């Protein structure tokens, strides 16, 4: 079974890494899918930088691959031969947003199922947005992101 894990990963955090590792034990193939929409406007890291950071995080996991896409997520899943979309749930606010997205995707293609995985409790407060905010003020990052991501963030700020 193949699944895609779509997101911005700007940058990849310990929360994302935990989800990827857990998904890789359940699914035969995990494709991390970087959406390219409004890439230039809002992201701190370029698409290539984000891909590089994800690859470094996943070197030890054999069934994980990284791709970028510029399309509807369901269309990208279909193109990759994946029947599942993985999304993470950290809180109730994630839940309402994610369920709406899942239902919209279901209405576009009922053959692609969205799978939700609850965040591990020790990572449930981590988001890429907060990581960037902390990095911008020179705060401590090691519990939030891997060492290579800390180094990349330090170069940016
Ligand atoms: P997006 O902009 O699509 O939300 P993100 O990179 O922020 O992209 O998140 C990608 C996916 O990873 C989402 O499903 C999100 O809920 C999940 N996620 C983000 N942070 C965590 C975390 N700390 N623990 C578990 N899942 C997470």
């Amino acid at each position: 079974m193949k699944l895609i894990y779509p997101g911005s990963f700007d940058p990849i955090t310990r929360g994302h890494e935990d989800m990827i590792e857990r998904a890789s034990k359940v699914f035969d193939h995990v494709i991390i899918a970087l959406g390219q929409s409004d890439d230039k406007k809002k992201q701190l890291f370029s698409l290539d930088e984000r891909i590089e950071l994800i690859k470094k995080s996943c070197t030890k996991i054999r069934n994980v691959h990284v791709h970028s896409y510029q399309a509807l997520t369901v269309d990208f899943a279909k193109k990759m031969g994946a029947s599942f979309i993985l999304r993470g749930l950290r809180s109730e606010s994630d839940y309402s947003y994610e369920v709406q997205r899942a239902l919209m995707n279901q209405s576009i293609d009922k053959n692609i199922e969205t799978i939700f995985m609850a965040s591990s409790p020790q990572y449930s407060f981590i988001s890429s947005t907060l990581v960037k905010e902390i990095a911008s003020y020179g705060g401590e990052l090691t519990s939030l992101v891997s060492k290579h991501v800390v180094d990349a963030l330090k170069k940016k700020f």
Side-chain angles (χ1 to χ4, degrees):
M1 284 194 303
K2 202 185 257 189
L3 111 168
I4 67 163
Y5 180 32
S8 342
F9 304 97
D10 185 43
I12 185 165
T13 68
R14 291 198 186 276
H16 293 129
E17 288 168 356
D18 175 64
M19 292 280 289
I20 294 163
E21 196 182 333
R22 287 161 59 203
S24 73
K25 290 178 184 156
V26 181
F27 288 84
D28 301 315
H29 300 285
V30 175
I31 296 166
I32 303 169
L34 275 96
Q36 279 191 55
S37 55
D38 53 28
D39 187 44
K40 287 188 189 120
K41 267 184 278 162
K42 278 190 280 175
Q43 313 296 351
L44 175 64
F45 290 96
S46 71
L47 191 66
D48 288 345
E49 288 171 330
R50 284 181 279 147
I51 290 175
E52 214 38 54
L53 293 175
I54 294 169
K55 281 187 177 164
K56 277 192 188 158
S57 290
C58 299
T59 41
K60 290 194 183 131
I61 318 177
R62 297 248 288 324
N63 56 340
V64 173
H65 295 95
V66 190
H67 287 268
S68 61
Y69 69 103
Q70 204 160 17
L72 289 175
T73 302
V74 283
D75 288 343
F76 180 70
K78 237 184 325 192
K79 187 177 156 202
M80 300 308 288
S83 309
F84 303 96
I85 295 171
L86 173 67
R87 296 292 292 176
L89 295 179
R90 287 163 291 187
S91 61
E92 272 179 51
S93 58
D94 271 354
Y95 176 83
S96 2
Y97 173 71
E98 294 294 347
V99 166
Q100 186 186 14
R101 256 173 97 126
L103 292 174
M104 178 57 82
N105 284 336
Q106 197 181 69
S107 80
I108 299 169
D109 188 335
K110 62 177 171 31
N111 296 312
I112 310 282
E113 288 288 351
T114 300
I115 305 286
F116 295 114
M117 244 165 52
S119 171
S120 295
Q122 68 271 35
Y123 302 127
S124 62
F125 63 95
I126 302 177
S127 72
S128 298
T129 305
L130 288 178
V131 162
K132 285 180 278 190
E133 194 177 322
I134 290 165
S136 74
Y137 291 109
E140 179 54 47
L141 295 164
T142 29
S143 61
L144 311 175
V145 294
S146 289
K147 165 92 173 58
H148 64 282
V149 183
V150 174
D151 294 343
L153 281 162
K154 281 187 178 160
K155 273 190 200 149
K156 288 277 176 194
F157 292 102

Short mmCIF file of all heavy atoms in Angstrom, two decimals, residues 2-5 20 24 28-34 51 54-55 58 61-68 76 80:
data_model
loop_
_atom_site.label_atom_id
_atom_site.label_comp_id
_atom_site.label_asym_id
_atom_site.label_seq_id
_atom_site.Cartn_x
_atom_site.Cartn_y
_atom_site.Cartn_z
N LYS A 2 0.45 2.22 -0.79
CA LYS A 2 1.23 3.45 -0.96
C LYS A 2 0.43 4.64 -0.45
O LYS A 2 -0.78 4.69 -0.68
CB LYS A 2 1.48 3.62 -2.45
CG LYS A 2 2.66 4.47 -2.81
CD LYS A 2 2.74 4.66 -4.31
CE LYS A 2 3.79 3.80 -4.95
NZ LYS A 2 3.99 4.15 -6.37
N LEU A 3 1.10 5.57 0.21
CA LEU A 3 0.37 6.78 0.63
C LEU A 3 1.23 8.02 0.39
O LEU A 3 2.46 7.92 0.36
CB LEU A 3 -0.09 6.66 2.08
CG LEU A 3 0.46 7.48 3.24
CD1 LEU A 3 -0.45 7.30 4.44
CD2 LEU A 3 1.86 7.04 3.62
N ILE A 4 0.55 9.15 0.20
CA ILE A 4 1.30 10.40 0.11
C ILE A 4 1.07 11.18 1.41
O ILE A 4 0.00 11.11 2.01
CB ILE A 4 0.94 11.25 -1.13
CG1 ILE A 4 -0.50 11.77 -1.06
CG2 ILE A 4 1.18 10.50 -2.42
CD1 ILE A 4 -0.74 12.93 -2.02
N TYR A 5 2.10 11.90 1.82
CA TYR A 5 2.01 12.76 3.01
C TYR A 5 2.28 14.18 2.53
O TYR A 5 3.43 14.60 2.39
CB TYR A 5 3.06 12.29 4.03
CG TYR A 5 3.11 13.09 5.32
CD1 TYR A 5 1.98 13.68 5.87
CD2 TYR A 5 4.32 13.22 6.01
CE1 TYR A 5 2.05 14.40 7.06
CE2 TYR A 5 4.39 13.92 7.21
CZ TYR A 5 3.25 14.51 7.73
OH TYR A 5 3.32 15.21 8.91
N ILE A 20 6.30 10.47 9.78
CA ILE A 20 6.86 9.75 8.63
C ILE A 20 7.36 8.37 9.07
O ILE A 20 7.08 7.35 8.44
CB ILE A 20 8.02 10.56 7.98
CG1 ILE A 20 7.47 11.85 7.36
CG2 ILE A 20 8.75 9.73 6.93
CD1 ILE A 20 8.52 12.91 7.06
N SER A 24 5.77 4.85 7.87
CA SER A 24 6.62 3.93 7.09
C SER A 24 6.56 2.50 7.62
O SER A 24 6.94 1.56 6.94
CB SER A 24 8.08 4.42 7.08
OG SER A 24 8.66 4.21 8.35
N ASP A 28 3.65 0.37 2.76
CA ASP A 28 4.82 -0.13 2.02
C ASP A 28 5.65 1.03 1.46
O ASP A 28 6.87 0.98 1.45
CB ASP A 28 4.37 -1.02 0.85
CG ASP A 28 3.56 -2.19 1.35
OD1 ASP A 28 3.98 -2.81 2.34
OD2 ASP A 28 2.48 -2.46 0.77
N HIS A 29 4.94 2.05 0.97
CA HIS A 29 5.64 3.20 0.38
C HIS A 29 5.04 4.50 0.91
O HIS A 29 3.82 4.67 0.89
CB HIS A 29 5.50 3.21 -1.14
CG HIS A 29 6.05 1.99 -1.78
ND1 HIS A 29 7.41 1.77 -1.92
CD2 HIS A 29 5.43 0.90 -2.28
CE1 HIS A 29 7.60 0.60 -2.49
NE2 HIS A 29 6.41 0.04 -2.71
N VAL A 30 5.91 5.40 1.35
CA VAL A 30 5.46 6.72 1.83
C VAL A 30 6.10 7.77 0.91
O VAL A 30 7.32 7.82 0.76
CB VAL A 30 5.90 6.98 3.28
CG1 VAL A 30 5.53 8.40 3.72
CG2 VAL A 30 5.28 5.95 4.22
N ILE A 31 5.24 8.58 0.29
CA ILE A 31 5.75 9.65 -0.57
C ILE A 31 5.48 10.98 0.11
O ILE A 31 4.32 11.35 0.33
CB ILE A 31 5.07 9.62 -1.96
CG1 ILE A 31 5.43 8.31 -2.66
CG2 ILE A 31 5.51 10.82 -2.80
CD1 ILE A 31 4.55 8.01 -3.85
N ILE A 32 6.53 11.68 0.47
CA ILE A 32 6.36 13.01 1.05
C ILE A 32 6.18 13.97 -0.11
O ILE A 32 7.00 14.03 -1.02
CB ILE A 32 7.58 13.38 1.91
CG1 ILE A 32 7.77 12.31 2.99
CG2 ILE A 32 7.40 14.75 2.55
CD1 ILE A 32 9.05 12.40 3.73
N ALA A 33 5.05 14.68 -0.08
CA ALA A 33 4.64 15.47 -1.24
C ALA A 33 4.62 16.94 -0.89
O ALA A 33 3.81 17.40 -0.09
CB ALA A 33 3.25 15.00 -1.70
N LEU A 34 5.54 17.69 -1.49
CA LEU A 34 5.61 19.13 -1.22
C LEU A 34 4.78 19.89 -2.24
O LEU A 34 5.14 19.93 -3.42
CB LEU A 34 7.05 19.62 -1.32
CG LEU A 34 7.86 19.46 -0.05
CD1 LEU A 34 8.65 18.19 -0.11
CD2 LEU A 34 8.77 20.64 0.10
N ILE A 51 13.35 20.04 0.27
CA ILE A 51 13.53 18.65 -0.17
C ILE A 51 14.81 18.08 0.42
O ILE A 51 14.85 16.97 0.94
CB ILE A 51 13.53 18.56 -1.72
CG1 ILE A 51 12.12 18.83 -2.25
CG2 ILE A 51 14.04 17.20 -2.20
CD1 ILE A 51 12.00 18.90 -3.76
N ILE A 54 14.38 17.32 4.10
CA ILE A 54 13.55 16.11 4.31
C ILE A 54 14.38 14.87 4.01
O ILE A 54 14.36 13.89 4.76
CB ILE A 54 12.29 16.15 3.41
CG1 ILE A 54 11.36 17.29 3.83
CG2 ILE A 54 11.54 14.82 3.48
CD1 ILE A 54 10.22 17.57 2.85
N LYS A 55 15.14 14.91 2.92
CA LYS A 55 15.95 13.74 2.56
C LYS A 55 16.93 13.41 3.67
O LYS A 55 17.13 12.24 4.01
CB LYS A 55 16.71 14.00 1.25
CG LYS A 55 15.81 13.83 0.02
CD LYS A 55 16.63 13.92 -1.24
CE LYS A 55 15.74 13.67 -2.46
NZ LYS A 55 16.38 14.09 -3.71
N CYS A 58 15.36 11.60 6.48
CA CYS A 58 14.80 10.26 6.20
C CYS A 58 15.83 9.27 5.66
O CYS A 58 15.45 8.22 5.15
CB CYS A 58 13.66 10.39 5.19
SG CYS A 58 12.31 11.41 5.79
N ILE A 61 15.31 5.62 6.46
CA ILE A 61 14.03 4.92 6.18
C ILE A 61 13.97 4.59 4.70
O ILE A 61 13.91 5.48 3.86
CB ILE A 61 12.81 5.77 6.61
CG1 ILE A 61 13.07 6.45 7.97
CG2 ILE A 61 11.56 4.91 6.71
CD1 ILE A 61 11.95 7.35 8.42
N ARG A 62 13.99 3.30 4.38
CA ARG A 62 14.15 2.86 2.99
C ARG A 62 12.91 3.09 2.12
O ARG A 62 13.03 3.34 0.93
CB ARG A 62 14.50 1.37 2.95
CG ARG A 62 15.83 1.05 3.62
CD ARG A 62 16.93 0.60 2.71
NE ARG A 62 16.93 -0.71 2.07
CZ ARG A 62 16.51 -1.87 2.54
NH1 ARG A 62 15.90 -1.94 3.69
NH2 ARG A 62 16.66 -2.97 1.86
N ASN A 63 11.72 3.04 2.71
CA ASN A 63 10.50 3.10 1.88
C ASN A 63 9.88 4.51 1.83
O ASN A 63 8.69 4.66 1.62
CB ASN A 63 9.46 2.08 2.37
CG ASN A 63 9.11 2.25 3.84
OD1 ASN A 63 9.87 2.86 4.59
ND2 ASN A 63 7.97 1.74 4.26
N VAL A 64 10.70 5.54 2.04
CA VAL A 64 10.21 6.92 1.99
C VAL A 64 10.87 7.67 0.83
O VAL A 64 12.09 7.58 0.65
CB VAL A 64 10.50 7.66 3.32
CG1 VAL A 64 10.15 9.14 3.21
CG2 VAL A 64 9.72 7.03 4.46
N HIS A 65 10.07 8.37 0.04
CA HIS A 65 10.60 9.18 -1.06
C HIS A 65 9.99 10.57 -1.02
O HIS A 65 8.92 10.76 -0.46
CB HIS A 65 10.30 8.51 -2.40
CG HIS A 65 11.01 7.20 -2.55
ND1 HIS A 65 10.42 6.00 -2.23
CD2 HIS A 65 12.29 6.91 -2.91
CE1 HIS A 65 11.29 5.03 -2.40
NE2 HIS A 65 12.43 5.55 -2.82
N VAL A 66 10.69 11.54 -1.61
CA VAL A 66 10.22 12.93 -1.58
C VAL A 66 9.95 13.41 -3.01
O VAL A 66 10.79 13.21 -3.90
CB VAL A 66 11.28 13.87 -0.95
CG1 VAL A 66 10.69 15.25 -0.70
CG2 VAL A 66 11.86 13.29 0.31
N HIS A 67 8.80 14.04 -3.21
CA HIS A 67 8.45 14.61 -4.52
C HIS A 67 7.79 15.97 -4.30
O HIS A 67 7.15 16.18 -3.28
CB HIS A 67 7.44 13.74 -5.26
CG HIS A 67 8.01 12.48 -5.80
ND1 HIS A 67 8.53 12.38 -7.06
CD2 HIS A 67 8.16 11.25 -5.23
CE1 HIS A 67 8.97 11.15 -7.26
NE2 HIS A 67 8.75 10.44 -6.16
N SER A 68 7.90 16.85 -5.29
CA SER A 68 7.11 18.07 -5.23
C SER A 68 6.01 17.96 -6.28
O SER A 68 6.13 17.16 -7.22
CB SER A 68 7.98 19.30 -5.50
OG SER A 68 8.53 19.21 -6.79
N PHE A 76 -2.38 14.33 -7.66
CA PHE A 76 -1.00 13.90 -7.47
C PHE A 76 -0.96 12.49 -6.88
O PHE A 76 -0.15 11.65 -7.31
CB PHE A 76 -0.24 14.89 -6.57
CG PHE A 76 1.19 14.48 -6.35
CD1 PHE A 76 2.11 14.54 -7.39
CD2 PHE A 76 1.61 13.98 -5.12
CE1 PHE A 76 3.43 14.13 -7.21
CE2 PHE A 76 2.92 13.58 -4.93
CZ PHE A 76 3.83 13.66 -5.97
N MET A 80 0.77 9.17 -8.64
CA MET A 80 1.82 8.36 -8.00
C MET A 80 1.34 6.93 -7.70
O MET A 80 2.08 6.13 -7.14
CB MET A 80 2.26 9.02 -6.67
CG MET A 80 2.84 10.41 -6.79
SD MET A 80 4.18 10.56 -7.99
CE MET A 80 5.49 9.70 -7.16
#
